[in-house]
Amino acid sequence: MSVDLFAGISVSDYPAAVAWYARLFGGPPAFEPNDVESVWKAGEHAYVYVQHRPDHAGHALTTLFVTDLDARLAAIESRGLSPTAVEVYAAGSRKATFTDHDGNEIGFAGPI
């Protein structure tokens, strides 16, 4: 059985969020189902979307576990974004968190 994940992030300034997430993910959205929602493919069967919902903006906590963490972080940083936090866990993984203009947190984690 296959499962597709759509992780939603509410934002207050939709155009600014689309530009920021394009930098985070390295390109434009994979598709835009309507004029207040943009979707990026984050992996096989995994998508992250932003939606203009000002009353709900700033509360998302999303983490993507990747196998290429160092390369991913280097690519994101080359596009002008820096993590707001980096954590190392005793279980042998680490996580870099990026925070958008609304305070939504999106992390990339991987093995040490």
Side-chain angles (χ1 to χ4, degrees), residues 8-93:
I9 300 174
S10 297
V11 298
S12 63
D13 184 339
Y14 180 70
V18 170
W20 191 87
Y21 282 91
R23 287 173 56 202
L24 184 71
F25 287 113
F31 61 96
E32 297 172 307
N34 54 57
D35 58 352
V36 296
E37 197 171 1
S38 292
V39 182
W40 284 265
K41 185 169 182 168
E44 186 175 358
H45 306 292
Y47 301 84
V48 174
Y49 68 95
V50 297
Q51 184 178 47
H52 184 240
R53 294 180 68 197
D55 293 343
H56 297 280
H59 302 287
L61 300 170
T62 303
T63 301
L64 304 168
F65 199 87
V66 298
T67 57
D68 61 344
L69 183 60
D70 289 328
R72 175 97 38 155
L73 295 179
I76 293 169
E77 290 180 7
S78 77
R79 295 188 292 272
L81 298 179
S82 297
T84 52
V86 176
E87 300 171 83
V88 178
Y89 301 105
S93 63

Side-chain angles (χ1 to χ4, degrees), residues 92-106:
S93 63
R94 86 193 136 102
K95 175 181 161 187
T97 301
F98 296 82
T99 305
D100 73 9
H101 298 92
D102 287 307
N104 294 305
E105 296 179 6
I106 184 160

